[in-house]
Amino acid sequence: MNGRRSALLALLAAGALALSACASSPSTDGAAEDDTASQSTEDTGTDDSGTEDDGGDASGGSGSGSATVTVDGETWEYPSYLCVTGYANTGSDVYSFSSTSFTTVDGLGVQLLVDVRDDSGQDRVSGDGVVYEITVFDTDAPEDPSIDVSATGTEGVTITESTVQVDGTFTDLGGESHSIQVDATCN
């Protein structure tokens, strides 16, 4: 899991650079899509059919929005929240929504990732076959983290044009269940 986290951090840093470079004119060529989530800027649609503007506008690249996250009774406040909808905007052919945020707790960085995996090719953020991935982890002490939860589920997440709501029980790779709530605004 630490290898995945390191890869995600590197990809998020690269994604931030790419997003800032194309924030005024999102890419439409669809080239160079990969199978990992990347940092994002705005959620633009939730239709299961994939017919809404899932291509998204890359506005709000300054990190507008905010999030409150509670995992197993412990709460973190995030002063900014970045999110995007659509395979073209996530840079992935399986992640139809990707979001991230960082905060500092007791001098340590804590990152939040909420991603939606849709292997159907329809750019959906809900429906049968969609998997929600919620990750909260200590970025400064991966060898002895204060928090390290990477959990998935198929229910309990609602994504609209400007909000992400999570309220449910999600299971990590070790089979342990976690109560997770997220109240986030994308812009």
Side-chain angles (χ1 to χ4, degrees):
M1 190 162 10
N2 283 339
R4 177 177 178 239
R5 186 171 306 119
S6 296
L8 275 172
L9 286 173
L11 185 60
L12 288 171
L17 272 168
L19 283 172
S20 65
C22 67
S24 61
S25 59
S27 172
T28 57
D29 64 6
E33 292 181 351
D34 67 15
D35 193 29
T36 55
S38 68
Q39 190 168 4
S40 52
T41 58
E42 184 181 24
D43 175 355
T44 60
T46 61
D47 186 19
D48 283 31
S49 69
T51 59
E52 282 191 40
D53 181 17
D54 286 338
D57 251 341
S59 60
S62 64
S64 62
S66 63
T68 301
V69 179
T70 303
V71 177
D72 299 329
E74 190 170 356
T75 301
W76 297 272
E77 297 289 332
Y78 292 84
S80 67
Y81 189 71
L82 303 173
C83 51
V84 73
T85 297
Y87 298 142
N89 292 321
T90 65
S92 170
D93 57 358
V94 295
Y95 285 97
S96 56
F97 176 84
S98 185
S99 65
T100 188
S101 189
F102 294 90
T103 195
T104 302
V105 178
D106 297 328
L108 298 175
V110 179
Q111 183 174 8
L112 162 68
L113 301 165
V114 177
D115 298 306
V116 179
R117 185 177 179 95
D118 177 21
D119 294 323
S120 75
Q122 298 177 42
D123 251 355
R124 300 172 307 151
V125 295
S126 65
D128 290 339
V130 168
V131 175
Y132 303 107
E133 300 176 356
I134 295 102
T135 306
V136 180
F137 65 95
D138 181 340
T139 60
D140 291 330
E143 64 286 338
D144 186 24
S146 60
I147 181 73
D148 187 11
V149 173
S150 184
T152 62
T154 58
E155 298 178 347
V157 176
T158 303
I159 298 171
T160 69
E161 276 190 37
S162 61
T163 64
V164 176
Q165 304 291 315
V166 177
D167 190 6
T169 302
F170 299 84
T171 306
D172 66 20
L173 297 174
E176 186 177 341
S177 294
H178 299 276
S179 172
I180 301 175
Q181 292 78 38
V182 175
D183 183 15
T185 303
C186 295
N187 54 2

